Amino acid sequence: MIEILLVDDHPSVMEGTKVLLEQEKDMFVKLANTPERALELVRMVHFDVMLIDMHMPGMNGIDLAKQILQIVPDAVMLIYTGFEVSNHYNLIMEAGMAGFVSKTSGKEQLVTAVRCALRGEVVLPLTLVKQLRRVTANGSERTSGGTEAQSITDKEYSILKEIARGKSNKEIAGTVIMSQRSLEYCLTNLFQKLNVKSRIEAALKAKQMGILSDSDFVQMG
C-alpha cells in the first residue's frame, strides 16, 4: 500500500483529492489541515509520498518541507498548488522537493505524479520546463513572463523575510551574514527581479506572488 500524506487547509480540496487517489487500490491518503498536524503525523507514521499545499496560514509549503526533512531526511514531497509555481522553482528544488502538482490536475495526472515521485523522478509542468529551457539556452534572455519569471535565491528569500519583519539593512546584513555593501548589491538585483523600487514594495510583491505568507509580516504590525 502506498501511504500518502496530503497537507492542505481547504477541506473540499483535501476530500476531493483523497477520493481521486484512493480510487487506486494501492493508495491510501492521510489528511493534515495544518502544518503543525503534518509534523505530528510525520513523526508518528511513515509516508511514501507527501503532497503539500504551497500557501497555508502560519507556514508556507517550502518551510514545512524543510522541517519535514529534518525529521525524515529521505522524504518524497511534491508541492500541491493552484498557483503559478515558476517563481518558486529554485526555492522548491533547494528545499529538497520532487516537483509540483497542480490542483487542477485530473485523476490520471495526479496518480502519475505520485508514481513518478515514488520512482525518484522529478515532476514538473511542461510549461515550466519550456521556460527553463529558454533561460538555459541564453542566460541573459528574458522569458515571456518578464522579470518575475526569474526565481529568487535562498539568500534573497531570507532577505525578504527579514524585510517583512521590519529589520534595517544593518540588522539584515548581520542575520544573513554579509556586509552591508553586499546586501545593498543583493537588494538591487532583487528589486530588478521583482520589478520594484523599494524594500517595502519588494516584501509586498513577494507576498502577492506567494513567496512570503501573512505570518512573515506579523512583527510589522
Side-chain angles (χ1 to χ4, degrees), residues 16-29 107-108 111 115:
T17 303
K18 179 179 172 71
V19 168
L20 286 178
L21 288 172
E22 290 188 345
Q23 286 174 8
E24 298 290 299
K25 293 180 180 179
D26 62 341
M27 293 187 179
F28 175 77
V29 182
K107 178 194 169 185
E108 185 178 347
V111 169
R115 296 197 187 280

Side-chain angles (χ1 to χ4, degrees), residues 75-158:
V76 177
M77 300 175 290
L78 293 165
I79 280 290
Y80 190 47
T81 181
F83 292 86
E84 172 61 43
V85 293
S86 60
N87 298 304
H88 313 298
Y89 174 75
N90 284 353
L91 285 173
I92 292 171
M93 292 296 102
E94 287 164 11
M97 307 196 80
F100 320 95
V101 184
S102 171
K103 289 183 180 179
T104 60
S105 297
K107 178 194 169 185
E108 185 178 347
Q109 290 174 298
L110 193 56
V111 169
T112 299
V114 169
R115 296 197 187 280
C116 285
L118 271 174
R119 293 196 296 264
E121 299 170 5
V122 174
V123 181
L124 297 176
L126 180 59
T127 51
L128 176 58
V129 174
K130 288 180 177 179
Q131 176 177 296
L132 292 172
R133 186 177 182 278
R134 286 199 298 272
V135 174
T136 304
N138 181 353
S140 61
E141 183 182 344
R142 299 292 187 199
T143 65
S144 59
T147 55
E148 288 181 28
Q150 296 188 87
S151 298
I152 66 167
T153 65
D154 216 20
K155 180 75 76 175
E156 289 167 339
Y157 175 57
S158 297

Side-chain angles (χ1 to χ4, degrees), residues 136-190:
T136 304
N138 181 353
S140 61
E141 183 182 344
R142 299 292 187 199
T143 65
S144 59
T147 55
E148 288 181 28
Q150 296 188 87
S151 298
I152 66 167
T153 65
D154 216 20
K155 180 75 76 175
E156 289 167 339
Y157 175 57
S158 297
I159 290 170
L160 281 168
K161 290 190 78 167
E162 295 304 312
I163 291 173
R165 290 169 181 156
K167 299 291 183 67
S168 67
N169 279 6
K170 183 177 180 180
E171 289 172 321
I172 295 173
T175 301
V176 300
I177 314 174
M178 64 167 54
S179 68
Q180 280 189 250
R181 183 180 292 274
S182 295
L183 174 65
E184 288 166 6
Y185 177 73
C186 276
L187 285 172
T188 299
N189 284 340
L190 187 56

